[in-house]
Amino acid sequence: MMKQWKLKDIVLMSILGVVFGLIYLAFFGVGNVLYGVLTPFGLGPLSYELIFGVWFIVSIIAAYIIRKPGVAFTSETIAALTEVLVGSTAGPTLILSGMVQGLGAELGFALTRWKDYRLRVLILSGMLAATVSFPYAYFMSGYDAYTNWLVIAMFITRVISGALIAGLLGKYIADQLAATGALSGYPLGKERQKRHEQSSAS
């Protein structure tokens, strides 16, 4: 897998992983605010699920840009490692959580043999990251203490969040980066340039 990566791929994965690791850490504060708002209504556990797609987003962005096996998993793992090194109170178990999420996202691309990076695949990867990570969170975070309807609502909310935030927003962010010309050496940048040339010629 790593034999297919070039130095520039590793550098970009590392940069994205560190940047989004810091963003991930910041969003715990957002989750806390939502928790405070929803708790009086008995919906506190839904707070983090509403924004959970944020914690998958780097795997989608990196994979969409670089388009090689293992990128989704590795970038997500780097982001989790960054959170721990910066000082997340979740501790080292957060790294394992990031790996599980990265594996879920990677599965979406693996189903197409890493050859299809259209929006529907990015959304699928975000949903799979949510689906795969939920059982892990269920056992690690004690979701069994919640009522069945709340657990089901949490799962559905996480999957939707994975689709919209990780998949849809992730594509938008990557496309905006590509529009600056900064990704001209990567598959996404080259694809964008090719479309531009074709539209100019027609």
Side-chain angles (χ1 to χ4, degrees):
M1 179 176 65
M2 291 188 66
K3 292 181 180 178
Q4 300 181 32
W5 296 349
K6 296 180 180 178
L7 178 60
K8 65 179 182 180
D9 299 331
I10 297 172
V11 170
L12 182 59
M13 275 192 292
S14 299
I15 292 173
L16 290 172
V18 170
V19 169
F20 278 92
L22 296 174
I23 292 173
Y24 288 1
L25 201 56
F27 263 82
F28 278 107
V30 177
N32 286 336
V33 172
L34 289 173
Y35 185 83
V37 172
L38 294 176
T39 295
F41 303 97
L43 299 174
L46 281 177
S47 56
Y48 286 94
E49 305 301 334
L50 288 168
I51 58 172
F52 221 98
V54 168
W55 286 288
F56 312 142
I57 199 168
V58 73
S59 60
I60 307 299
I61 291 174
Y64 179 46
I65 294 172
I66 300 172
R67 306 187 178 188
K68 291 180 180 178
V71 171
F73 171 77
T74 304
S75 58
E76 194 69 40
T77 302
I78 292 172
L81 178 61
T82 299
E83 290 181 83
V84 173
L85 292 177
V86 171
S88 170
T89 55
T93 57
L94 188 60
I95 299 175
L96 182 56
S97 178
M99 293 173 71
V100 171
Q101 293 167 188
L103 280 172
E106 192 73 51
L107 179 59
F109 300 109
L111 290 173
T112 71
R113 296 181 182 273
W114 297 277
K115 293 180 179 179
D116 190 344
Y117 290 87
R118 286 175 290 179
L119 177 59
R120 64 188 185 188
V121 177
L122 303 185
I123 289 175
L124 173 63
S125 290
M127 293 173 70
L128 286 172
T131 301
V132 171
S133 66
F134 194 83
Y136 173 81
Y138 181 90
F139 291 107
M140 294 297 291
S141 301
Y143 289 1
D144 58 325
Y146 302 137
T147 58
N148 289 338
W149 74 265
L150 184 56
V151 172
I152 293 171
M154 290 167 65
F155 173 71
I156 293 173
T157 303
R158 182 179 296 208
V159 171
I160 293 173
S161 182
L164 298 180
I165 298 180
L168 194 61
L169 181 59
K171 182 182 186 301
Y172 175 79
I173 292 173
D175 285 339
Q176 294 307 302
L177 286 173
T180 67
L183 304 176
S184 59
Y186 297 91
L188 175 59
K190 293 176 182 178
E191 178 185 77
R192 184 181 180 87
Q193 180 61 30
K194 184 177 180 180
R195 286 202 304 266
H196 179 71
E197 291 172 354
Q198 289 175 341
S199 62
S200 298
S202 60

